[in-house]
Amino acid sequence: MKKNQTEETVGICAAAGRPQTGPRRKTGLAGEKLAFSFNGQRVEGVAGDSVAAALLAAGYTTLRESPRAGTPRGPFCWMGVCQECTVVIDGVRRPACRTSLAAGMQIFPGTIA
């Protein structure tokens, strides 16, 4: 693979048994800055990041609270199966780790109840 290619092996596809490839943002490269809001506060993120990654990079570790105990919840599995990073994006409940960041998103803490 040539050095200037942007695709890298990112894992093994369990179903097919072959390497998965895809674009991967390299650390240290500046990407396009995107403005969005979280719980009414203006936040900036980088194009190509997930909502969970952008919020974590901005210092937000709590994305919702547990409906029973009220304890803080945030990204955990980074695959969209645990529901710990559930947020409301533009009025729709979504996993933050599986949603790509877009300019102008209005994001609020989510709930699974």
Side-chain angles (χ1 to χ4, degrees):
M1 185 177 290
K2 296 178 185 176
K3 284 186 178 182
N4 61 355
Q5 287 181 323
T6 59
E7 290 201 342
E8 298 178 4
T9 300
V10 293
I12 300 296
C13 177
R18 63 178 183 267
Q20 293 176 314
T21 59
R24 182 178 256 185
R25 188 169 63 88
K26 301 210 185 307
T27 305
L29 296 178
E32 179 185 3
K33 296 284 184 176
L34 301 176
F36 64 100
S37 70
F38 180 65
N39 210 15
Q41 301 293 316
R42 185 180 186 281
V43 184
E44 280 193 351
V46 178
D49 281 352
S50 68
V51 169
L55 288 170
L56 195 60
Y60 292 96
T61 57
T62 300
L63 304 186
R64 70 176 188 88
E65 292 182 350
S66 168
R68 289 188 190 167
T71 54
R73 299 287 189 235
F76 179 71
C77 75
W78 294 90
M79 297 185 306
V81 296
C82 74
Q83 300 181 18
E84 294 298 319
C85 68
T86 299
V87 293
V88 176
I89 302 172
D90 297 331
V92 179
R93 188 171 60 188
R94 299 173 184 246
C97 66
R98 300 283 297 171
T99 306
S100 294
L101 186 64
M105 283 182 160
Q106 293 184 5
I107 305 166
F108 291 92
T111 181
I112 59 170

